[in-house]
Amino acid sequence: GEDVEQSLFLSVREGDSSVINCTYTDSSSTYLYWYKQEPGAGLQLLTYIFSNMDMKQDQRLTVLLNKKDKHLSLRIADTQTGDSAIYFCAEWGHNTDKLIFGTGTRLQVFP
Amino acid sequence: KAGVTQTPRYLIKTRGQQVTLSCSPISGHRSVSWYQQTPGQGLQFLFEYFSETQRNKGNFPGRFSGRQFSNSRSEMNVSTLELGDSALYLCASSPGQPGGADTEAFFGQGTRLTVV
């Protein structure tokens, strides 16, 4: 079945870059998404990438997709304390016709 | 443009009771999906409705049900509540079927249900 995996924690210093990684198993995924969840809040869509793209940049965010290895990453440049949150990657499972979420990566930014 | 609105935000219920949660999607959006979020299981898909029809369903028992009205508002119902149903229930709306560039899912703040 479809599975999406992420590392649980990432800790970075303010001003450094953060890289959050995600692996998925569904080779038929068409879109892959990154969501951010702050404490007590719902999920905020950050960005997405279509499966025929390798990279997408949106201000401080860069998404890299290695379709061969089924690996997705989110790079946050100049990480700020306000970026501290849980980040979820999600794939649209073409075979299951639904969004499959990863376990989430808790990003902690320290001064 | 208002975002996705979920009511109530917090709810405390007793085991055995039933509960109804409400979700108002973004105006013009026709698809509503529901997710359960728990520390142990993460985000689990419950079901998706599009134009009043359930199009997809996750692996949850029949105690979990939902419906969508003609104005796209959706409700989910959980009957015979169990302690393990305590979770954050999230609703997401999309213009059409989720999974496309113009149909990405936008989430509400969620309803935190505590079963005691």
Side-chain angles (χ1 to χ4, degrees):
Chain A
E2 291 76 13
D3 196 19
V4 181
E5 293 189 355
Q6 302 177 237
S7 52
L8 291 179
F9 299 101
L10 177 64
S11 184
V12 299
R13 188 181 299 277
E14 192 175 16
D16 287 352
S17 292
S18 309
V19 179
I20 303 171
N21 295 301
C22 170
T23 57
Y24 60 96
T25 58
D26 187 356
S27 57
S28 70
S29 296
T30 49
Y31 286 94
L32 297 119
Y33 304 86
W34 283 103
Y35 284 87
K36 175 184 180 183
Q37 186 178 35
E38 296 182 80
L43 274 68
Q44 174 195 354
L45 177 65
L46 289 176
T47 187
Y48 65 89
I49 189 167
F50 186 50
S51 59
N52 69 352
M53 298 168 65
D54 298 325
M55 185 182 88
K56 181 179 179 182
Q57 187 154 2
D58 185 0
Q59 299 182 343
R60 292 191 298 123
L61 305 179
T62 303
V63 179
L64 294 177
L65 175 61
N66 181 328
K67 198 174 178 183
K68 175 176 168 289
D69 294 338
K70 299 190 187 71
H71 182 266
L72 181 74
S73 68
L74 173 70
R75 178 177 179 270
I76 305 173
D78 187 25
T79 312
Q80 303 297 306
T81 53
D83 295 324
S84 294
I86 300 176
Y87 290 80
F88 292 90
C89 69
E91 60 159 352
W92 176 255
H94 189 67
N95 292 330
T96 59
D97 206 23
K98 64 185 179 186
L99 269 177
I100 310 291
F101 282 88
T103 49
T105 299
R106 183 180 295 275
L107 173 65
Q108 183 178 22
V109 182
F110 58 93
Chain B
K1 203 174 190 182
V4 179
T5 304
Q6 290 187 246
T7 56
R9 287 293 310 279
Y10 303 93
L11 206 48
I12 300 175
K13 288 285 190 178
T14 306
R15 268 183 303 174
Q17 287 186 310
Q18 67 93 26
V19 67
T20 299
L21 310 182
S22 179
C23 172
S24 293
I26 293 170
S27 177
H29 285 195
R30 297 166 63 191
S31 171
V32 174
S33 301
W34 288 89
Y35 294 82
Q36 182 196 63
Q37 186 178 25
T38 59
Q41 298 297 317
L43 275 156
Q44 301 289 315
F45 173 79
L46 281 156
F47 25 65
E48 186 231 340
Y49 288 88
F50 181 83
S51 293
E52 301 179 67
T53 301
Q54 185 183 88
R55 291 204 309 187
N56 206 347
K57 191 175 186 304
N59 296 323
F60 279 81
R63 299 185 297 108
F64 291 80
S65 63
R67 58 178 176 168
Q68 186 180 33
F69 302 95
S70 58
N71 62 358
S72 294
R73 190 177 72 84
S74 177
E75 289 181 347
M76 69 162 278
N77 185 277
V78 188
S79 62
T80 320
L81 284 165
E82 300 176 0
L83 295 179
D85 297 333
S86 295
L88 180 67
Y89 290 87
L90 292 163
C91 161
S93 83
S94 302
Q97 178 181 343
D102 60 345
T103 58
E104 60 267 29
F106 296 90
F107 283 79
Q109 297 272 63
T111 294
R112 184 162 297 281
L113 171 65
T114 302
V115 182
V116 297

